[in-house]
Amino acid sequence: MPLNKNTLAVVLAAGKSTRFNTKKCKLLYTVCGQPMILYPLKVLNQLKIDSTLIIGYQADKIKQTIKNARIKNVSFAIQEEQLGTGHAVRFSKNYWNKENILILNGDSPLLKKDIIQNLLNMHADKKADVTFLSAHALNPFGYGRVIKTDTKIEIVEDKDCNEDQKFTTLINAGVYLFTKKFLEKNIDLIKKSSKSGEFYITDLVNLASSQNLKVQTIPVAYDDIRGVNTLEELWAVEQVKRSELMKYWMLKGVRFDLAQSIHLDYDVEIGTGSFIGAGTLLLKGTKIGKNCNVSALSIIEDSIIGDNSNIRSHSIIQQSKIGENSIIGPFARLRKDVIIGDNVEVGNFVEIKNSKIDNGTKLKHLSYIGDSKIGKSVNIGAGTITCNYDGFEKHETTIEDGVFVGSNNTIIAPIKISSEAYTAGGSTITKDVPSKSLAIARAKQENKRDYASKIKKNNTKSKTKKTSKNQNNLTLNFIGAVKDKESERVL
Ligand code: UD1
Ligand code: MG
């Protein structure tokens, strides 16, 4: 029978994150878009194991993060003063309501469900008192080392290792399963380390071993248990997570160009046949459809891109939705709450905010569209600006189906341009335009015959005057420079 039902998890999350040197609790930092502390909690949820979180440093922020993520079946215990991992475990005593207690560090975001399940199964199979995870690390420094002899298994912390032990590559992963019976007897027997003044949870393993109890370790892949004590380790762990995510999507038929330069968040989804260009960031909440092309250096956050759409390079899309077969960019910015239909073309240097653009519409160059509703098959000429803000309030622009807005239009909201109307290039549109009409709102052009030659003549005259003046200036400057040189010499 799997042990899950008889197991309570204790997650250690009270530490001060001193080695981060940022004053912010390390467990609040994200790994591929998700705060670190949520990783172990989600794994435990999947395994249907309730957990008690030991919090202390920045406890409220941790609590809030867990609440925001709607993680269930978590209770909290407080470790006011952080005197080490062994000390932290003491504060969970009141919650020990199951036969087995699984204790894990909060700073191991790469842990997988199957690994924990295997730990539980092996513990039950071998009727062990203590089972813990270990791994071979090429660079074991900083981790506790697992030292095995014929009769014993011990964990020696990095600071306490002798010369031989320092080069042992088998490290403690910080995930332990104890029987409740053992914990109750031994938790108060942990002694303070004379070197660090802390109580180590790893002493529990040593206590079990010295009592000739059944202690076993399960070696797993180092990349599954990497701990995060520094910002450099956070970077390394995120690299691993990103590679895992990318591998998953590659196997589903997604092509990443220069994969090492692309960032993916944990919940991003990408349809088969899609291409993701170099240096692109696909951030939390983003869903890319099938056969899409997202070109280099684009940033897409919390947005949905429909099948066969093409996001050209350097485009930024946030909290927006794009339909199928549409083209966005290069250098487009969809700022927030933008809904784009199918077969729409949004070209270079177009910014759109809080607007709806319906099927088949084109806005191909240098425009700002804010708080607007634009219908089907509309053409928005280059340089068109919707003036949505009067300094106090935002106003809406409505442009109905089939409208043709000429280039360089300034459309002063609130305003409505009704279906199939035309506006002439260079117009400042201040009044509603009725359906099928043409609005021209620009100064009338006047052509003055032969005026150009007059201008030229005048220009030539003034140029000659200026040139002789400039020459005089040059001469004066030159004399000045010579004078300065002479005075320098004198000095
Ligand atoms: C710990 C292990 C080490 C192991 C490594 C694996 C100990 C003494 N050492 O070292 O053998 O190789 O993890 O990654 O446990 N915490 C508290 N209260 C405290 C101190 C820490 O809740 O007073 C929490 C931290 O928030 C963290 C976890 O315990 O989530 C582990 O603490 P950390 O300081 O990261 O331990 P390591 O030095 O990494
Ligand atoms: Mg650690």
Side-chain angles (χ1 to χ4, degrees), residues 25-314:
C25 173
K26 61 182 173 183
L27 304 175
L28 298 169
Y29 280 83
T30 56
V31 171
C32 291
Q34 175 161 259
M36 215 187 322
I37 189 59
L38 298 182
Y39 281 94
L41 296 179
K42 284 192 176 173
V43 166
L44 293 167
N45 260 352
Q46 287 170 0
L47 292 165
K48 300 198 166 32
I49 297 176
D50 294 351
S51 47
T52 297
L53 202 72
I54 312 292
I55 48 176
Y57 186 66
Q58 301 188 340
D60 289 345
K61 286 186 181 155
I62 299 250
K63 262 187 170 175
Q64 192 58 47
T65 304
I66 291 162
K67 199 175 156 198
N68 292 348
R70 299 201 179 91
I71 305 275
K72 288 186 194 118
N73 305 326
V74 184
S75 50
F76 297 94
I78 304 281
Q79 182 195 20
E80 294 283 0
E81 200 184 356
Q82 287 78 45
L83 296 178
T85 46
H87 180 251
V89 176
R90 286 187 202 165
F91 298 90
S92 63
K93 258 187 198 172
N94 290 342
Y95 296 86
W96 295 348
N97 56 358
K98 300 276 166 76
E99 272 170 48
N100 299 288
I101 312 294
L102 171 71
I103 303 182
L104 37 104
N105 288 347
D107 65 350
S108 304
L110 298 170
L111 263 176
K112 314 270 175 322
K113 179 181 129 202
D114 295 349
I115 291 175
I116 304 280
Q117 188 60 65
N118 190 39
L119 172 85
L120 296 171
N121 297 347
M122 296 279 274
H123 187 78
D125 284 357
K126 297 272 154 78
K127 297 195 171 52
D129 296 288
V130 180
T131 306
F132 67 98
L133 296 180
S134 52
H136 281 287
L138 280 180
N139 178 0
F141 304 105
Y143 288 96
R145 311 295 202 285
V146 180
I147 310 293
K148 285 186 187 175
T149 63
D150 289 345
T151 51
K152 284 194 171 125
I153 300 182
E154 289 201 332
I155 300 174
V156 182
E157 284 309 299
D158 189 62
K159 287 180 190 140
D160 301 322
C161 282
N162 63 31
E163 279 310 305
D164 284 346
Q165 290 166 339
K166 265 210 170 351
F167 291 95
T168 306
T169 56
L170 191 61
I171 58 151
N172 165 34
V175 180
Y176 324 78
L177 188 59
F178 300 101
T179 57
K180 175 182 157 191
K181 214 165 82 191
F182 169 80
L183 263 192
E184 281 174 341
K185 262 199 207 160
N186 290 278
I187 187 68
D188 294 322
L189 300 182
I190 300 176
K191 293 210 173 73
K192 202 186 232 183
S193 151
S194 54
K195 276 202 184 141
S196 66
E198 288 190 3
F199 298 85
Y200 298 153
I201 189 179
T202 45
D203 276 1
L204 287 172
V205 172
N206 304 345
L207 281 164
S209 215
S210 65
Q211 292 163 23
N212 293 319
L213 296 175
K214 189 150 180 77
V215 179
Q216 59 173 352
T217 185
I218 303 172
V220 296
Y222 174 60
D223 273 349
D224 287 332
I225 56 88
R226 281 171 181 264
V228 179
N229 292 330
T230 62
L231 281 168
E232 191 245 340
E233 285 167 347
L234 177 68
W235 166 78
V237 157
E238 196 166 50
Q239 299 272 50
V240 176
K241 187 86 223 161
R242 238 187 322 240
S243 304
E244 285 175 9
L245 293 167
M246 236 169 256
K247 184 179 170 189
Y248 175 86
W249 290 113
M250 280 174 181
L251 291 172
K252 293 214 173 267
V254 177
R255 166 92 208 273
F256 295 96
D257 183 29
L258 221 67
Q260 71 276 18
S261 69
I262 290 169
H263 178 89
L264 281 191
D265 272 350
Y266 76 103
D267 62 347
V268 165
E269 290 175 22
I270 313 171
T272 183
S274 285
F275 171 92
I276 312 295
T280 288
L281 312 184
L282 299 181
L283 304 177
K284 206 166 172 274
T286 293
K287 289 186 176 58
I288 311 277
K290 287 183 206 140
N291 300 316
C292 289
N293 195 329
V294 180
S295 297
L297 299 163
S298 290
I299 303 175
I300 306 180
E301 182 188 352
D302 194 15
S303 296
I304 296 173
I305 315 289
D307 295 347
N308 303 308
S309 281
N310 188 347
I311 313 301
R312 292 185 172 149
S313 68
H314 291 90

